[in-house]
Amino acid sequence: MDISKEQIIRLKNNDMTSFDEIYEIARKSVYFTIALIVKDNLASEDIMQEVFIDLLMNKSKLKEDDNLGALLTTSAKNKAINYYNRHKRETQYINTLQDESYDQEIGLDSGLLDKIKNILSKKEYEVFILHILGEYSFKEISEIKKIPLGTLTWTYQEARKKLEIELGGKNHD
């Protein structure tokens, strides 16, 4: 997620086109961070909006050398955890990644995520989804999940190999 110092400075100076640019750069990553925890489309969208409203309300506190992408995803993660904890009794444990409207929203064939989820371990699945769909760098995922970078890249490569074998018909020895 590449948010430039210039964009941060412009945002601090109330340039709303900069906010629009930052939103477009960060929205998928913020959404997937939330969706992996909350597992509810509407709640994820609401929480995502809260993250960006907080950004606008606190833009004066930003420093030009802040890693705004990491700040946004950390905020998203914290808000999602808070939501989950407040609503876990009410929340139906519907897997967002199996929701047909979710598949349509991200442009995947219905059921493809189910297949991927069945092939990969939970850890592999989360890393794969954050990297491919969430468009996180390995460094960002490492920071978010608190997994060493080497372990993370190994996990991703193992997940990719499994998917190639199961979905692509490739054989790795």
Side-chain angles (χ1 to χ4, degrees), residues 5-168:
K5 289 180 181 184
E6 177 194 336
Q7 288 168 315
I8 294 172
I9 293 168
R10 288 178 24 230
L11 177 64
K12 287 182 69 161
N13 291 324
N14 296 316
D15 180 348
M16 292 311 290
T17 60
S18 180
F19 175 77
D20 293 341
E21 293 166 6
I22 292 168
Y23 179 83
E24 283 304 312
I25 292 168
R27 71 181 173 86
K28 283 185 182 178
S29 296
V30 168
Y31 180 83
F32 283 110
T33 298
I34 297 164
L36 284 170
I37 295 167
V38 174
K39 298 186 182 349
D40 178 287
N41 268 349
L42 294 176
S44 296
E45 290 172 11
D46 288 344
I47 295 167
M48 181 177 74
Q49 296 311 315
E50 285 178 33
V51 169
F52 285 104
I53 289 169
D54 283 355
L55 172 63
L56 281 176
M57 292 176 64
N58 295 300
K59 66 182 181 249
S60 64
K61 296 177 185 175
L62 293 173
K63 297 177 185 85
E64 66 183 64
D65 58 345
D66 279 344
N67 181 343
L68 188 53
L71 290 173
L72 289 171
T73 54
T74 299
S75 175
K77 177 183 171 187
N78 292 337
K79 287 182 180 300
I81 290 169
N82 289 341
Y83 173 89
Y84 178 81
N85 288 336
R86 280 192 318 266
H87 294 91
K88 64 180 155 185
R89 287 193 184 123
E90 305 166 15
T91 303
Q92 298 176 3
Y93 294 101
I94 299 171
N95 184 340
T96 301
L97 300 178
Q98 293 175 341
D99 185 352
E100 188 174 309
S101 64
Y102 179 85
D103 289 349
Q104 291 170 353
E105 178 181 327
I106 61 174
L108 290 176
D109 273 344
S110 182
L112 179 58
L113 288 174
D114 284 340
K115 290 177 187 174
I116 293 171
K117 191 172 188 176
N118 289 331
I119 293 168
L120 303 178
S121 71
K122 181 179 178 183
K123 183 177 179 181
E124 290 169 336
Y125 180 73
E126 287 179 355
V127 168
F128 185 80
I129 293 299
L130 285 170
H131 183 66
I132 299 298
L133 298 180
E135 299 178 356
Y136 285 100
S137 70
F138 290 122
K139 184 178 178 187
E140 291 170 325
I141 298 170
S142 174
E143 291 170 5
I144 292 166
K145 302 292 286 174
K146 303 202 181 332
I147 300 171
L149 190 57
T151 303
L152 182 86
T153 55
W154 181 85
T155 301
Y156 175 78
Q157 292 303 326
E158 289 300 306
R160 211 182 93 229
K161 286 177 189 175
K162 284 182 182 179
L163 292 173
E164 285 177 357
I165 291 168
E166 295 293 323
L167 299 175

